[in-house]
Amino acid sequence: MAATARQTAATARYEAKKEAILAAATATLNRQGVKGMTMAGVAAEVGLITTSVTYYYRKKEDLAAACFLRGIERFAALVDKASTAATAQERLLAFLDRFLDLQRRVRKGEAPPLVSFTEVRTLNEPHRTPVFEAFNNLFRRVRELFDTPELADLSRAERNARTHLLLEQVFWTGTWLRRYETEDYGRVRDRMFDILTGGLAARAQDWNPPSLTVGQLTTDPQEASRETFLVAATRLINQRGYRGASVEDISAALNVTKGSFYHHNDAKDGLVVACFERTFQVMREAQSAARDLPGDQWSRLAAATSALARHQLSEHGPLMRASVMTALPADLRHDMSERYVRVSDRFSGMVSDGIAEGSIRAVDPMIAAHMLNSLLNAAASLAVWAGDTKKEDAASLLVRPLMVGIFRP
């Protein structure tokens, strides 16, 4: 009996230390990315020496993969509990409720942080396959939340797009949820649920938003060359993260020398800022062009978001992911964040004008703007989850469900 008790205590200590390492590694991974995370840094976070961490995880890549797998497990647990509800609407509300309750506990220090999946694509084999298999299983389980007669006739691409939209909505809260007090998370849940299920249209609308084209390259040869450079760099940085995309990697991907790179940019920080500036420019272009269109505010908002969703899948896209900001140096991160908020607030203003006009339902304009930004972020990787998606289909697959309601076929 005494030996058994000692074994039980030793197992408990082992698991407790392992959980502490995973929590510290997750927080570091969220701040610094896979490349920026070090075993020594994680060890210091939990008051251990490096060899104590390597006893549990031999290499940094092992630890990063473990963080992603644990994050997937936690999301799967939320889905499993929500899936017991009777209707699709009730399952969606239960999922949002449990997710926001978990976020509340994380923020209050009652639960370890949730991992950001931003850099999951930076994993190499042999870690990539098991993590991707686990994430694909999670994706399928979330898709089952939408099993309802109203959506029985949806194509696989349409079901995948709705699933992708929902997952991106909860992942994206990492960029804005901390602006709210934890006691207001219940209200955030209700407002998100209201927008997802009711859409933004105040009345029945045919899905035929005015057409806009944004983000085209300039005809000036010198400026076009720089914009082409920024488009390619944005793609690479989105894939590998700020720390994961080195100057050498960017130069190689663009088939230029490091000398040519520094001809265009003083340093990588300057390149990242230039990529963000181009993203803000494209978003402002879509918003301003939509405001000049005839029709009501709902149609203008649908036009702007549809144009930006198509841009994400075009040869001139994508937009820079806001999650890249988290790894920027503090001064740059603050500046880029402020500028991002200003662009986002323009969506909020369009929603507010539509509510006053009567073409948009009485929703929370700020939360609606966050959710619109989320769907634009989701569009960047829509093709991964919705098969061979063409840019012309991006709006109907992804934008329409948020504009008219996710349960409307």
Side-chain angles (χ1 to χ4, degrees):
M1 293 292 291
T4 300
R6 285 196 298 271
Q7 290 173 348
T8 300
T11 299
R13 288 194 298 272
Y14 176 91
E15 291 300 325
K17 189 174 292 186
K18 183 177 180 181
E19 292 302 315
I21 291 170
L22 279 175
T26 297
T28 304
L29 190 64
N30 290 347
R31 292 193 308 268
Q32 301 179 3
V34 174
K35 188 169 184 178
M37 183 179 74
T38 66
M39 300 294 264
V42 172
E45 289 285 334
V46 289
L48 298 173
I49 59 175
T50 304
T51 52
S52 295
V53 176
T54 56
Y55 175 75
Y56 293 85
Y57 302 99
R58 289 185 60 247
K59 298 179 180 179
K60 179 177 72 172
E61 292 74 15
D62 299 331
L63 180 53
C67 290
F68 289 128
L69 288 170
R70 177 55 56 86
I72 292 168
E73 289 175 4
R74 297 174 76 185
F75 270 101
L78 300 179
V79 176
D80 286 346
K81 292 176 182 177
S83 65
T84 60
T87 68
Q89 287 84 352
E90 290 172 343
R91 292 192 290 270
L92 174 60
L93 181 59
F95 176 63
L96 292 175
D97 180 60
R98 293 181 182 278
F99 170 74
L100 286 163
D101 180 63
L102 176 57
Q103 286 284 44
R104 178 189 60 78
R105 290 188 287 115
V106 168
R107 187 166 167 189
K108 292 172 74 70
E110 299 169 357
L114 281 167
V115 70
S116 168
F117 294 104
T118 301
E119 294 201 358
V120 70
R121 296 186 182 281
T122 66
L123 289 177
N124 296 316
E125 298 296 356
H127 304 95
R128 184 182 179 92
T129 293
V131 171
F132 271 57
E133 286 179 351
F135 195 93
N136 288 339
N137 287 334
L138 171 64
F139 188 90
R140 285 189 285 269
R141 289 155 83 173
V142 174
R143 189 171 60 198
E144 291 172 359
L145 297 178
F146 292 103
D147 285 345
T148 179
E150 304 100 292
L151 303 181
D153 294 331
L154 290 185
S155 68
R156 183 177 181 83
E158 290 171 324
R159 292 172 67 83
N160 283 348
R162 280 168 167 77
T163 306
H164 187 44
L165 173 63
L166 175 57
L167 279 173
E168 198 65 42
Q169 290 298 338
V170 294
F171 294 159
W172 193 256
T173 59
T175 67
W176 59 269
L177 193 56
R178 293 187 69 85
R179 300 178 190 177
Y180 293 82
E181 299 292 342
T182 54
E183 55 262 37
D184 294 331
Y185 280 16
R187 180 183 175 279
V188 171
R189 172 205 60 211
D190 293 341
R191 300 287 74 78
M192 290 182 69
F193 178 75
D194 176 54
I195 292 170
L196 284 169
T197 55
L200 296 180
R203 51 186 176 270
Q205 294 269 19
D206 292 330
W207 182 250
N208 189 29
S211 179
L212 287 176
T213 301
V214 298
Q216 300 297 299
L217 299 183
T218 178
T219 56
D220 178 80
Q222 184 172 357
E223 188 61 27
S225 174
R226 175 169 173 76
E227 289 189 12
T228 300
F229 191 94
L230 294 178
V231 168
T234 297
R235 290 173 184 163
L236 189 66
I237 295 169
N238 278 353
Q239 291 170 1
R240 302 188 185 181
Y242 168 77
R243 294 180 183 274
S246 67
V247 170
E248 291 78 6
D249 292 336
I250 296 170
S251 300
L254 301 177
N255 197 27
V256 299
T257 64
K258 285 182 64 175
S260 178
F261 174 94
Y262 286 114
H263 173 73
H264 286 282
N265 305 276
D266 293 335
K268 189 172 75 171
D269 285 354
L271 174 63
V272 173
V273 168
C275 289
F276 270 117
E277 287 177 341
R278 185 172 191 277
T279 287
F280 300 149
Q281 174 187 338
V282 172
M283 293 181 72
R284 287 193 302 267
E285 178 186 341
Q287 293 165 333
S288 297
R291 287 177 175 177
D292 294 334
L293 291 172
D296 58 31
Q297 285 292 87
W298 182 87
S299 297
R300 292 172 187 148
L301 186 62
T305 50
S306 295
L308 289 168
R310 288 192 297 271
H311 175 80
Q312 291 279 48
L313 292 178
S314 76
E315 65 274 21
H316 304 301
L319 303 171
M320 184 71 98
R321 295 175 70 94
S323 53
V324 174
M325 294 181 201
T326 59
L328 289 173
D331 55 339
L332 289 180
R333 182 170 65 247
H334 176 77
D335 185 39
M336 293 300 101
S337 178
E338 288 294 312
R339 294 177 65 179
Y340 182 84
V341 167
R342 289 201 295 270
V343 176
S344 178
D345 284 349
R346 299 184 87 195
F347 278 134
S348 178
M350 294 175 75
V351 172
S352 295
D353 291 346
I355 294 171
E357 174 191 73
S359 64
I360 293 179
R361 293 193 309 118
V363 299
D364 186 304
M366 294 298 293
I367 291 179
H370 295 316
M371 295 177 72
L372 288 167
N373 284 317
S374 171
L375 82 82
L376 295 178
N377 192 67
S381 52
L382 178 61
V384 176
W385 308 112
D388 188 21
T389 304
K390 299 180 175 62
K391 68 175 183 178
E392 292 78 12
D393 300 328
S396 60
L397 281 174
L398 205 60
V399 180
R400 181 181 178 275
L402 192 65
M403 295 297 292
V404 304
I406 204 166
F407 291 112
R408 180 176 170 182

